[in-house]
Amino acid sequence: MTLNDQQIAAFRESGYLFFAGLLDEQEVRTLKDAVPDVLSREGPEVVREKDDPTAARLAFGAHTYSEPFERLARLPRLMDPVRQLLGDEVYLHQTRMNPKQGFGSGASWTWHQDFPSWYKVDGMPEPNCIMASVFIDDCTPVTSPLLIIPGSHRWGLLDSELHEDAKGRGYDLFHIDQSTLQQLADENGIEPLIGPAGSVALIHSNIVHGSADNVSPWRRAIFYLIYNAVGNACTREVRPWYQNNRNFTPLEPIEDDGLRAYSAAQATPAR
């Protein structure tokens, strides 16, 4: 998939691009089937919800231990536009799944930018990094969709502080103050990212975003792939492998039907 000039200009202006249904039903089903194994892991790469330890809040690094998500990361449909926007080869700085379980178990995320933690903790030099957000489930107005402030990336790196809820929880979250949020929202508005499972949003690493508690009965899982430009590799080694990948080798794309091929191979009975 190659972006046209209008799409590139829209990304520069708004800080994100949205592609509804970029993955087909078979590909979505393959990813959905892989989710339980990812969320059931017992290692530190899976962070549990503060008020519901049975529910996963984040699952880091699934591309390293789940073949469907490893294949997803290397699909040209994702990689080609990202490389085009970043103007460089890319590696995966990090991947994470936010399953957002229903009935309130999937807790809110305060308003923040992602780049501050990568800059302050991991030593990422510049925000030449894109968060590809893949909808594993339908994201609807009632399942606590990701909320973004379009154009907020053009404000650059905002003042932020480590959020109290993140301290000692196995992840870093630097939230922005209410007055800054008020000004950004008044000037730019707030948009929900809504669409069917298989949709993909490419989001600038300085976009201000957040989400509410998921009080619906339905899960709202999104898988985030943090593609970083190879020339923008991180310089610090404070965090573990699943949060700060130290292998900066350019990611090699597979065939664009690679996820479907995996599904077909799994469905073929052994002889």
Side-chain angles (χ1 to χ4, degrees), residues 6-53:
Q6 290 77 18
Q7 290 171 315
I8 294 173
F11 180 83
R12 304 296 182 215
E13 177 67 19
S14 297
Y16 79 100
L17 292 172
F18 186 78
F19 304 93
L22 189 63
L23 304 181
D24 63 30
E25 290 185 8
Q26 181 184 9
E27 291 170 318
V28 169
R29 174 48 56 193
T30 299
L31 296 175
K32 282 181 182 285
D33 289 346
V35 167
D37 284 344
V38 171
L39 300 184
S40 65
R41 291 175 66 89
E42 298 293 335
E45 65 271 19
V46 178
V47 179
R48 301 292 165 181
E49 291 284 5
K50 184 176 181 180
D51 295 327
D52 183 2

Side-chain angles (χ1 to χ4, degrees), residues 24 96 109 116 177 211 261:
D24 63 30
R96 60 182 187 268
W109 292 89
D177 63 79
S211 65

Side-chain angles (χ1 to χ4, degrees), residues 116-244:
S117 64
W118 306 332
Y119 174 72
K120 296 177 181 180
V121 183
D122 300 331
M124 185 181 290
E126 301 291 338
N128 198 27
C129 181
I130 286 176
M131 178 173 69
S133 309
V134 180
F135 291 10
I136 307 301
D137 300 319
D138 296 339
C139 293
T140 75
V142 302
T143 57
S144 180
L146 189 67
L147 304 175
I148 70 167
I149 298 181
S152 53
H153 66 300
R154 290 185 276 109
W155 284 49
L157 182 63
L158 299 168
D159 289 337
S160 59
E161 295 181 357
L162 184 63
H163 195 268
E164 285 294 328
D165 285 351
K167 292 180 179 179
R169 297 285 315 285
Y171 64 91
D172 295 293
L173 179 68
F174 289 83
H175 70 108
I176 64 174
D177 63 79
Q178 290 187 356
S179 61
T180 301
L181 175 65
Q182 185 75 60
Q183 186 176 358
L184 283 169
D186 287 345
E187 292 186 9
N188 300 277
I190 296 174
E191 297 180 2
L193 296 188
I194 294 171
S199 298
V200 175
L202 303 180
I203 303 175
H204 192 283
S205 56
N206 263 337
I207 277 283
V208 175
H209 59 287
S211 65
D213 292 350
N214 182 14
V215 297
S216 80
W218 304 290
R219 189 186 71 182
R220 187 279 278 159
I222 298 178
F223 188 66
Y224 298 100
L225 304 104
I226 314 306
Y227 292 103
N228 191 25
V230 169
N232 193 43
C234 295
T235 59
R236 300 193 190 111
E237 300 184 37
V238 177
R239 297 201 291 180
W241 63 270
Y242 52 84
Q243 291 175 320
N244 181 13

Side-chain angles (χ1 to χ4, degrees), residues 49-128:
E49 291 284 5
K50 184 176 181 180
D51 295 327
D52 183 2
T54 67
R57 181 168 177 78
L58 289 171
F60 288 101
H63 70 287
T64 66
Y65 51 78
S66 172
E67 186 170 353
F69 287 103
E70 188 272 338
R71 291 189 177 222
L72 171 69
R74 297 194 291 135
L75 290 181
R77 268 169 289 168
L78 273 64
M79 286 189 62
D80 287 350
V82 167
R83 291 188 294 187
Q84 194 177 353
L85 290 170
L86 296 180
D88 198 351
E89 294 297 319
V90 298
Y91 73 97
L92 281 173
H93 169 63
Q94 178 191 105
T95 66
R96 60 182 187 268
M97 184 185 299
N98 175 211
K100 273 274 184 174
Q101 301 290 349
F103 295 107
S105 291
S108 65
W109 292 89
T110 189
W111 291 97
H112 65 284
Q113 297 173 305
D114 279 350
F115 182 59
S117 64
W118 306 332
Y119 174 72
K120 296 177 181 180
V121 183
D122 300 331
M124 185 181 290
E126 301 291 338
N128 198 27

